[in-house]
Amino acid sequence: MPAETREYAINAANIRHWNESIRAYVGELTEGGDGPRGRDFNTRWLASMVGDAFRILGRGGIYLYPADRRPGYERGRLRLLYEANPIAFLMEQAGAAATDGLQPILDLAPHDIHQRIPLVFGSAEEVRRVALAMREAPAASSPLFHRRSLFRTDAAALGLSA
């Protein structure tokens, strides 16, 4: 599997529930060529982990099912023993990676048969980037300086020449 990718799979309808690290990572991808990554990414979300895993095994990509603030999702939603572990094993055999955001899935010792965890798997370089984002606190951002239609500070938005 290619170490890098231009495709990602995440349920973007839940963005308001994600932590800042996941929002920042996905934000970099959605900014595309204009953002810090300097290239465009495509979203592919089947809402079926097995279908997404099949596609990723065939052509690369990254799948994210992070923990979030919704009740019942705080520790993740997928089950370690019979969902995350088999996918992680397949990914690692293909030269890819799988993590819960902090450590490799296959390094986790289960404490319950139905233990739920967050899951990120796919192209190794992208999984590494997500794990790095999860370990580091995102840069502070102020809503006062975000690009908005009402309070833009750039010269073009104000109709001024630079």
Side-chain angles (χ1 to χ4, degrees), residues 23 34 40-41 48-49 52 56 67 72 79 81 85 92 95 103 117 127-128 134 142 156:
R23 282 188 201 181
D34 297 332
D40 292 329
F41 289 81
S48 164
M49 182 180 66
D52 282 320
I56 288 168
R79 290 162 190 93
L81 282 178
N85 271 337
E92 290 195 11
Q103 54 191 327
I117 62 163
V127 172
R128 185 194 66 76
M134 295 296 294
S142 170

Side-chain angles (χ1 to χ4, degrees), residues 111-129:
H111 58 74
D112 180 337
I113 192 167
H114 301 294
Q115 176 182 345
R116 295 180 187 266
I117 62 163
L119 178 61
V120 176
F121 66 81
S123 296
E125 177 59 24
E126 290 304 313
V127 172
R128 185 194 66 76
R129 283 179 174 270

Side-chain angles (χ1 to χ4, degrees), residues 85-100:
N85 271 337
I87 292 293
F89 180 77
L90 291 173
M91 290 297 146
E92 290 195 11
Q93 294 302 304
T99 182
D100 67 350

Side-chain angles (χ1 to χ4, degrees), residues 4-162:
E4 295 185 6
T5 184
R6 290 182 184 242
E7 289 187 358
Y8 67 100
I10 190 167
N11 186 352
N14 295 322
I15 191 170
R16 67 190 180 281
H17 304 293
W18 300 338
N19 69 37
E20 288 303 315
S21 298
I22 294 296
R23 282 188 201 181
Y25 172 77
V26 173
E28 285 184 3
L29 303 181
T30 58
E31 288 179 40
D34 297 332
R37 302 290 296 275
R39 60 186 176 151
D40 292 329
F41 289 81
N42 293 317
T43 302
R44 301 281 187 257
W45 176 254
L46 297 178
S48 164
M49 182 180 66
V50 172
D52 282 320
F54 181 78
R55 184 190 65 253
I56 288 168
L57 282 167
R59 64 187 201 203
I62 186 168
Y63 175 94
L64 300 97
Y65 203 130
D68 63 41
R69 292 188 288 267
R70 292 176 292 167
Y73 288 75
E74 301 92 344
R75 291 188 195 104
R77 195 70 182 160
L78 299 174
R79 290 162 190 93
L80 174 60
L81 282 178
Y82 45 93
E83 291 172 323
N85 271 337
I87 292 293
F89 180 77
L90 291 173
M91 290 297 146
E92 290 195 11
Q93 294 302 304
T99 182
D100 67 350
L102 300 175
Q103 54 191 327
I105 294 295
L106 295 180
D107 289 353
L108 297 174
H111 58 74
D112 180 337
I113 192 167
H114 301 294
Q115 176 182 345
R116 295 180 187 266
I117 62 163
L119 178 61
V120 176
F121 66 81
S123 296
E125 177 59 24
E126 290 304 313
V127 172
R128 185 194 66 76
R129 283 179 174 270
V130 171
L132 184 63
M134 295 296 294
R135 283 192 296 273
E136 296 178 352
S141 65
S142 170
L144 291 175
F145 300 105
H146 286 208
R147 299 185 106 184
R148 293 183 289 211
S149 60
L150 189 56
F151 297 110
R152 289 194 185 180
T153 59
D154 60 338
L158 297 172
L160 305 173
S161 59

